[in-house]
Amino acid sequence: MDQLPPTLPKSRTEPDGSVVIRVLSYNIRSLRDDEEALVRVIRACEPDLVLVQEAPRFFRWRKHAARLAAKCDLVVLGGGATATGPLLLCSLRVFAERTQDVLLPHAPGLHRRGLATAVVRIGGVRLGVVSAHLSLDRAQRREQADLLLDRVAALDTPYGIAAADVNEGPDGPAFRRLAGALQDGWSVAPWGGERTFPAAAPDRRIDAVFATAGVDVLACGVPAGLAGVSGADLRSATDHLPVLAALRLQAAP
């Protein structure tokens, strides 16, 4: 049964530089739905990082991404059309060290996929961030899971966070590969709702937040019932439900 605790940990920086952060993963379907509902959901989640899938990729895509960020009191960190859809947004709490958009190998007849990546600092913590949207093709998804893990490792940071529309559930080979190498937030600290697709009547968990060892996953799940998040907004914002994670990261000694 889906449950929300009385409170979700708030973002904070502790005296020693350790941090609690909120990370939101969200497939926004190229802003083709109710953008104002989407904004209300994102704002209510109070994220430090938003790892977007299916950001606008065509005409004036940068303008659309910037508009969404501004409405949510966030800024564009990286990604977008140059990553074939994955986009990174962040709060002003986040200091960007570097960003890189990575195109994955392309198979004829299938949509080109990519990764939006960044290395950031929050408080006394340095971490790598990757947003991904894996293929509709089962074999290609499995290959892309390996490439995603390779990219997380290549960022060479003490902590890594990856969020993805995996396009398959936890029993699929790509999802199992990711969850075997990284912490699957929902499995570690289930909170809120589990299933993410389709938004109107979710029956599958195909969206997830993953973290490297050492990240303390405090809570992770669909923020249904979180203050300010209405069921109507979740259903009309896009065709996926978001995944919100509260994570604690220890500062280096």
Side-chain angles (χ1 to χ4, degrees):
M1 183 177 181
D2 295 344
Q3 280 187 313
L4 289 171
T7 59
L8 181 72
K10 292 276 191 180
S11 298
R12 66 180 186 271
T13 301
E14 298 175 352
D16 67 351
S18 300
V19 296
V20 173
I21 63 172
R22 288 188 179 187
V23 176
L24 185 69
S25 177
Y26 214 164
N27 182 318
I28 65 172
R29 209 166 79 109
S30 298
L31 296 176
R32 294 200 298 266
D33 300 290
D34 185 340
E35 187 173 317
E36 297 311 312
L38 179 71
V39 168
R40 288 192 292 271
V41 171
I42 294 174
R43 289 178 65 94
C45 290
E46 299 181 295
D48 298 288
L49 292 161
V50 185
L51 282 62
V52 173
Q53 300 85 42
E54 283 196 52
R57 295 184 294 116
F58 300 111
F59 185 64
R60 294 183 176 175
W61 65 269
R62 288 183 176 86
K63 179 180 178 180
H64 296 309
R67 183 185 69 244
L68 175 64
K71 286 182 176 181
C72 298
D73 289 333
L74 301 169
V75 296
V76 175
L77 177 60
T82 47
T84 72
L87 173 73
L88 302 174
L89 307 178
C90 68
S91 73
L92 295 179
R93 186 182 182 211
V94 177
F95 173 80
E97 185 176 300
R98 68 177 189 269
T99 64
Q100 183 179 11
D101 301 331
V102 179
L103 295 178
L104 300 178
H106 183 223
L110 295 175
H111 172 63
R112 186 71 183 262
R113 303 286 173 170
L115 308 173
T117 80
V119 173
V120 303
R121 294 180 184 271
I122 307 175
V125 172
R126 184 169 176 266
L127 66 148
V129 181
V130 181
S131 180
H133 186 184
L134 302 192
S135 176
L136 292 171
D137 179 80
R138 179 182 175 92
Q140 192 179 49
R141 277 197 303 272
R142 178 59 182 79
E143 295 171 359
Q144 289 171 351
D146 281 335
L147 295 172
L148 171 55
L149 292 172
D150 289 345
R151 182 55 51 174
V152 171
L155 293 175
D156 192 26
T157 52
Y159 303 105
I161 299 166
D165 173 353
V166 188
N167 263 321
E168 68 182 28
D171 292 334
F175 203 119
R176 288 201 309 270
R177 177 70 178 108
L178 294 171
L182 303 171
Q183 300 183 79
D184 169 19
W186 166 263
S187 296
V188 173
W191 168 91
E194 177 181 6
R195 298 173 181 85
T196 62
F197 186 82
D203 59 10
R204 284 162 277 174
R205 181 165 79 95
I206 64 173
D207 304 88
V209 174
F210 301 96
T212 56
V215 175
D216 186 5
V217 183
L218 304 177
C220 182
V222 175
L226 185 69
V229 177
S230 73
D233 280 348
L234 288 172
R235 290 187 294 272
S236 61
T238 176
D239 61 342
H240 285 244
L241 296 177
V243 179
L244 178 61
L247 311 172
R248 187 175 188 277
L249 301 95
Q250 186 72 37

